[in-house]
Amino acid sequence: MRDNDTHSFDMSGFDMTGTAVKQSEQTSSGDVSHSHPLLISTIKGLIVLLGFVSLVCQVWGLPSLAAEIAVEDPPHAYLRYPYLAVSIALIVCFEIVLVAMWQLLTMVARGVVFSARARRLVNIVIWAAIVAEVLFAGLWIHGLMVSAGPPLLAVVLLIALIVVLCFILLMVVMRTLLSAATAQRDELEAVV
Amino acid sequence: MAIRVNLDVMLAKRHMSVNELAERVGITAANVSVLKNGRAKAIRFTTLDGICQALDCQPGDVLEWAER
């Protein structure tokens, strides 16, 4: 799309579709210099940390927790593997969001975040959050029906449901802002 | 485009190359070509100012309205 070709112009130095070629001192360098490299590296560091923690939870933490609970609560031991599978799927959603965030941050650092690719990444984040919301809702409703786990679990799940819902709605608003900014950016790119 | 850019005419009159104009105005040679070949969708007043200064002309000398 548009963002892709304006990019290749930087390489070729020439523009074949009538869009103005980027100028270093005017539009394009503005956001690169405002991209806060330290801030972005800090967030990326935190993403690595969170990714590591979630991997540990997936591979070791949750399976051993499920085994422990199955032993403590034999009537609900049959839920060990279904609940474990749903929990691992939830963490997969979280990891997808982390990867998409990482790519978006890379784009912010390069000053190319106002593009169709960024919108696709935000869509991935939103869909991963929607899947997580559905899984949380399933766990919550099923947990209430069979009254599995401590009462606190139902409360925690309800809070998670609300938080993820807020996140989804916030991301949808952010996506409209991104689209508006991308449209304006594309229009400004055409100015010589 | 209904607005025509007659940059090539003025460049020829002033015996100036695209690269020289680009340098004087402070835009890329590629963007001067975009203007010259009538592929520009919009122009900044600062760019127009630079062009008029470099070519010692009026905006009307480089811009012209024509029926499609």
Side-chain angles (χ1 to χ4, degrees), chain A residues 92-114:
Chain A
V92 169
C93 290
F94 182 64
E95 285 164 349
I96 289 170
V97 170
L98 288 183
V99 171
M101 291 283 188
W102 177 282
Q103 284 177 304
L104 280 168
L105 285 168
T106 308
M107 293 177 80
V108 170
R110 286 198 205 132
V112 294
V113 79
F114 297 119

Side-chain angles (χ1 to χ4, degrees), chain A residues 2 13-27 187-188 190-192, chain B residues 26-35 37 39-48:
Chain A
R2 274 282 288 282
F14 260 87
D15 152 41
M16 305 316 282
T17 62
T19 313
V21 180
K22 277 191 193 172
Q23 284 171 36
S24 47
E25 69 269 40
Q26 283 172 352
T27 49
E187 205 176 311
L188 266 179
V191 180
V192 179
Chain B
I27 60 176
T28 60
N31 270 343
V32 174
S33 307
V34 168
L35 277 174
N37 300 332
R39 286 185 284 115
K41 289 189 188 118
I43 181 166
R44 283 190 184 83
F45 274 5
T46 50
T47 310
L48 193 56

Side-chain angles (χ1 to χ4, degrees), chain A residues 101 122 125-126 166-176:
Chain A
M101 291 283 188
V122 175
V125 169
I126 291 173
C166 288
F167 177 76
I168 293 169
L169 297 178
L170 186 66
M171 281 297 122
V172 171
V173 173
M174 300 286 252
R175 190 180 58 182
T176 58

Side-chain angles (χ1 to χ4, degrees), chain A residues 8-189:
Chain A
S8 52
F9 300 157
D10 280 349
M11 311 296 166
S12 63
F14 260 87
D15 152 41
M16 305 316 282
T17 62
T19 313
V21 180
K22 277 191 193 172
Q23 284 171 36
S24 47
E25 69 269 40
Q26 283 172 352
T27 49
S28 63
S29 74
D31 30 324
V32 176
S33 59
H34 295 157
S35 66
H36 306 292
L38 186 67
L39 187 64
I40 288 174
S41 342
T42 311
I43 304 173
K44 280 189 168 179
L46 289 172
I47 287 178
V48 170
L49 186 70
L50 286 174
F52 179 72
V53 169
S54 55
L55 270 178
V56 169
C57 280
Q58 262 177 326
V59 175
W60 179 79
L62 284 172
S64 53
L65 185 68
E68 207 175 291
I69 292 173
V71 171
E72 279 174 13
D73 189 9
H76 292 120
Y78 69 97
L79 290 173
R80 175 180 170 178
Y81 291 108
Y83 270 39
L84 181 61
V86 172
S87 312
I88 287 176
L90 274 169
I91 295 183
V92 169
C93 290
F94 182 64
E95 285 164 349
I96 289 170
V97 170
L98 288 183
V99 171
M101 291 283 188
W102 177 282
Q103 284 177 304
L104 280 168
L105 285 168
T106 308
M107 293 177 80
V108 170
R110 286 198 205 132
V112 294
V113 79
F114 297 119
S115 61
R117 183 167 176 259
R119 193 186 155 84
R120 280 195 295 277
L121 285 169
V122 175
N123 279 337
I124 290 172
V125 169
I126 291 173
W127 279 107
I130 289 173
V131 171
E133 180 79 349
V134 170
L135 291 175
F136 270 130
L139 270 187
W140 184 61
I141 291 166
H142 187 261
L144 285 182
M145 285 195 310
V146 302
S147 65
L152 187 67
L153 185 69
V155 177
V156 169
L157 281 174
L158 188 60
I159 292 169
L161 271 173
I162 295 167
V163 169
V164 174
L165 183 64
C166 288
F167 177 76
I168 293 169
L169 297 178
L170 186 66
M171 281 297 122
V172 171
V173 173
M174 300 286 252
R175 190 180 58 182
T176 58
L177 290 178
L178 180 72
S179 300
T182 306
Q184 290 195 359
R185 173 61 176 268
D186 283 353
E187 205 176 311
L188 266 179
E189 288 279 279

